[in-house]
Structures are given as C-alpha cells and as structure tokens.
Amino acid sequence: MSLLTNRNSWSLLGLPFDSIDLTNTTALIERSIDMNKRCFLSTPNLNFAIAAQSDEGFFQSVVDSDLSVADGMPLIWVAKLLGAPITERVAGSTLFEVLSNKPRANKIKVFFFGGQEGVAERAHQRLNETSVGMTSCGFYDPGFGTVEQMSTPDIIDHINSTKPEFIVVALGAKKGQAWIQATCEHLNAPIISHLGAVINFVAGNVVRAPTLWQRLGFEWLWRIKQEPALWKRYLLDGIAFIKLLMLNVFPLTVYDWQLKKSAGYKKPCTIEWGERVGSLITLSGSFKHRNLAKVKEALLSILNSHNADVRLTLDFTEVSYIDGAFIATLMFFQNHLNK
C-alpha cells in the first residue's frame, strides 16, 4: 500500500507528482537497488502532462508509477502558483548523470532498451568507457512494432538474463510507458523508467543544454538547436500550456485563494464508511495536506476491508475544500481499487 501511505504527492495539471528533490530521488533509487525493490519511475515533462490530458492510458501509467518526478520547469512554475511544495525540477537525464558519476564499488547495471537504430549499442559502449558508477550489462533494439511485439517471452528472457538493475527505455513516451506497464511484473530489474533523451545523451548523439539554460527553463530552445524536428512539438506544447494557464491554472489559483479565506477551509474532515452505509463513502469538511495522515489511514482501512465485488461511491456533498495532495491521494486510492 506504499502508493497510498508513504508518498507526499500533489496533483498538477491532473497528474500526481511526488514532492521530492534530486538528492532524495537519487537516494531512493540507490536504496531500491540495494534492497532489490521494484520502482517504476516516471519523469513527466510538459509534453507528457499535456498528452495525458486526453490519453487515459498515458495518464494511468503515471498513477501506476512508484515515483513520479517533475521533469520540466513549467511544472515547477504551476506548482508555485498553486502552492504545491514541488520546488525543484528532477530531470531524468540529471538523475541518470548523478548516478553515473558517483563512484561505487558495485556499479549499477544498466540495460538500454529502444532508441534509434544503433543508438542503444553506442550508449552501451560509451557508458562502459566513461562511467564510474554504472556499467551497461546489455542493450536491445526492438525496432518498430507494437507493445505486444516488443514484449515477447524471448525479449523478456533476454533482458532478464543480463541481470539488470536499471532498465532505461526509449520508445517514445507513450509507447515506452505502455511497454513498462505491460512488462514490469516480468522483469527482474528493481528500477525501470522511460528516459528517452538519456540514451541519446549517453550515446553522444545529442549534447545536453548548459546548466544555466536548464535552470531558466530554456532547455527546449537548446533541444530545438540540437534536434530541429522538435520545433513543432514545442510550439504545440507552448500553445496548449498557455491555454491551460488561462482557462485552468489562473482561475483555480484565484478560486483557491478565495476558498482559503472561507469558514469551510477550517472545518475538520471526516470519512464515514461501514456496514451501516454499505458501499457509500461519505466525506465532509476540509481535506488538505495537513490532515492527510488521518485521511490515508481511513482510506487504508476501507481498502483492507473492501469487498472486491462492491462498487464504492464517494459522496462529496458536504466537502468544503480539497487540495492537490488530497486529489493525488484519491488517484492512488482508485489505483489500489483497480488492482
């Protein structure tokens, strides 16, 4: 039940993000490897968040993740506007670079899956030539095909035979996330993540933007310089982001400010559920991150006693306030019910 109980997560643009910085993300990944504990890592950026608005499977892949970090400065700006404590961009490329540059006696065994033809092999060779913290134990180029064609027992057995600890997937974000969802239960690596840009950076096909460009939120300009074909994607993302800001984020910011000044904001929260109310969960009061431990405990109790054949209904009639942390908790609650 760790998805529900052990995470400090907030909803931004409809996706759950963990409130965690680069240092703690690195430590969590290393700990998961040491303990051989599964961690499906998602690193949504702005393009990812916008695509998930209309793609249910893509959205669900983030909810299914064990860790979701904000890989994009626009997401950090939105978090600041909405008062969510997600203050640091955790780029998948930076995370991989930190792990690769940290000397360790037992290097992290990496497997590269996907990328353009020949790129995975070059990444494999270069990582073994340059990294002090990682070693590439193998690579596989599945070519073009469906998720099912890339998930055959032979492919899974090949990956597992190399005993990887960190699988880097590069299939395009949507297909990559779908492939991870389809195969993660059959893969023996503790860490698995779609990090499409990483494989190009490691292979040397693309040079990453200078740190200052990254901090200022202008890495997209550098990426267009490196890969001109990306201009259309960034243009469409920019237009969609402005639309989201104008129609969703700014109005929500104003409305949230008004609600926090209302009497309902200070009301205690309650959750009622049991044989008396059957499959109906009745909520009332103000649900925010300050009382989330109590809320999670109640939801966990419901999960532990829930009859899988009963459809649960949540009644929000008497709820006066909810914040992004509570919305993320509801996403994880629904995810457990689905499972």
Side-chain angles (χ1 to χ4, degrees), residues 132-302:
V132 297
M134 290 177 159
T135 181
S136 176
C137 60
F139 62 91
Y140 190 87
D141 178 4
F144 296 98
T146 65
V147 169
E148 291 74 20
Q149 291 169 334
M150 298 179 180
S151 310
T152 63
D154 287 345
I155 292 176
I156 300 301
D157 289 344
H158 170 69
I159 297 173
N160 286 338
S161 68
T162 66
K163 296 181 172 56
E165 295 171 315
F166 194 146
I167 300 176
V168 175
V169 183
L171 298 174
K174 287 188 179 182
K175 182 179 286 186
Q177 291 286 114
W179 184 83
I180 293 173
Q181 286 181 291
T183 61
C184 64
E185 293 299 321
H186 307 289
L187 295 166
N188 57 17
I191 311 299
I192 182 167
S193 183
H194 184 273
L195 300 173
V198 164
I199 196 168
N200 283 314
F201 292 146
V202 176
N205 285 23
V206 178
V207 178
R208 191 154 184 221
T211 303
L212 182 60
W213 287 52
Q214 297 175 39
R215 290 177 179 171
L216 294 176
F218 291 132
E219 188 168 10
W220 59 277
L221 275 174
W222 183 272
R223 288 289 303 277
I224 290 175
K225 176 186 174 185
Q226 296 279 306
E227 303 171 81
L230 290 176
W231 75 267
K232 187 174 182 180
R233 191 192 89 177
Y234 283 117
L235 175 62
L236 294 176
D237 286 348
I239 294 172
F241 182 55
I242 292 172
K243 184 178 179 181
L244 280 172
L245 286 176
M246 299 302 295
L247 299 182
N248 299 84
V249 178
F250 291 153
L252 177 59
T253 302
V254 175
Y255 186 51
D256 186 62
W257 177 78
Q258 292 175 336
L259 286 176
K260 286 178 178 176
K261 291 185 175 296
S262 68
Y265 181 73
K266 298 179 180 180
K267 287 184 178 180
C269 69
T270 61
I271 299 179
E272 293 183 11
W273 181 84
E275 295 300 325
R276 180 171 62 85
V277 291
S279 61
L280 179 66
I281 303 173
T282 304
L283 307 97
S284 65
S286 179
F287 289 80
K288 44 188 180 286
H289 62 283
R290 295 188 187 92
N291 54 28
L292 211 52
K294 173 184 174 181
V295 173
K296 289 181 177 181
E297 183 179 342
L299 293 177
L300 188 59
S301 175
I302 293 170

Side-chain angles (χ1 to χ4, degrees), residues 321-332:
Y321 182 84
I322 57 176
D323 67 6
F326 178 63
I327 294 174
T329 298
L330 282 183
M331 291 182 192
F332 298 141

Side-chain angles (χ1 to χ4, degrees), residues 297-326:
E297 183 179 342
L299 293 177
L300 188 59
S301 175
I302 293 170
L303 285 172
N304 290 334
S305 57
H306 173 238
N307 183 337
D309 296 327
V310 175
R311 185 177 182 86
L312 297 179
T313 302
L314 277 69
D315 181 359
F316 282 83
T317 307
E318 298 300 322
V319 172
S320 54
Y321 182 84
I322 57 176
D323 67 6
F326 178 63

Side-chain angles (χ1 to χ4, degrees), residues 35-223:
M35 298 174 62
N36 195 31
K37 181 181 178 181
R38 175 66 50 79
C39 180
F40 171 15
L41 168 67
S42 285
T43 60
N45 55 19
L46 179 61
N47 174 260
F48 201 125
I50 289 173
Q53 304 286 321
S54 58
D55 190 315
E56 185 176 347
F58 203 29
F59 158 80
Q60 191 61 43
S61 72
V62 184
V63 180
D64 289 345
S65 303
D66 300 296
L67 183 65
S68 173
V69 296
D71 184 357
M73 286 307 298
L75 297 173
I76 304 302
W77 300 334
V78 170
K80 187 174 183 179
L81 278 172
L82 297 177
I86 300 172
T87 58
E88 181 180 327
R89 178 192 179 197
V90 182
S93 303
T94 303
L95 173 63
F96 190 88
E97 185 178 349
V98 169
L99 291 167
S100 179
N101 291 336
K102 182 177 179 179
R104 52 176 55 83
N106 297 315
K107 292 185 177 182
I108 297 172
K109 298 174 67 176
V110 177
F111 189 97
F112 293 104
F113 185 83
Q116 296 178 344
E117 184 177 358
V119 174
E121 183 176 4
R122 286 197 294 276
H124 162 80
Q125 293 170 346
R126 287 199 61 182
L127 189 73
N128 286 338
E129 291 170 356
T130 61
S131 178
V132 297
M134 290 177 159
T135 181
S136 176
C137 60
F139 62 91
Y140 190 87
D141 178 4
F144 296 98
T146 65
V147 169
E148 291 74 20
Q149 291 169 334
M150 298 179 180
S151 310
T152 63
D154 287 345
I155 292 176
I156 300 301
D157 289 344
H158 170 69
I159 297 173
N160 286 338
S161 68
T162 66
K163 296 181 172 56
E165 295 171 315
F166 194 146
I167 300 176
V168 175
V169 183
L171 298 174
K174 287 188 179 182
K175 182 179 286 186
Q177 291 286 114
W179 184 83
I180 293 173
Q181 286 181 291
T183 61
C184 64
E185 293 299 321
H186 307 289
L187 295 166
N188 57 17
I191 311 299
I192 182 167
S193 183
H194 184 273
L195 300 173
V198 164
I199 196 168
N200 283 314
F201 292 146
V202 176
N205 285 23
V206 178
V207 178
R208 191 154 184 221
T211 303
L212 182 60
W213 287 52
Q214 297 175 39
R215 290 177 179 171
L216 294 176
F218 291 132
E219 188 168 10
W220 59 277
L221 275 174
W222 183 272
R223 288 289 303 277

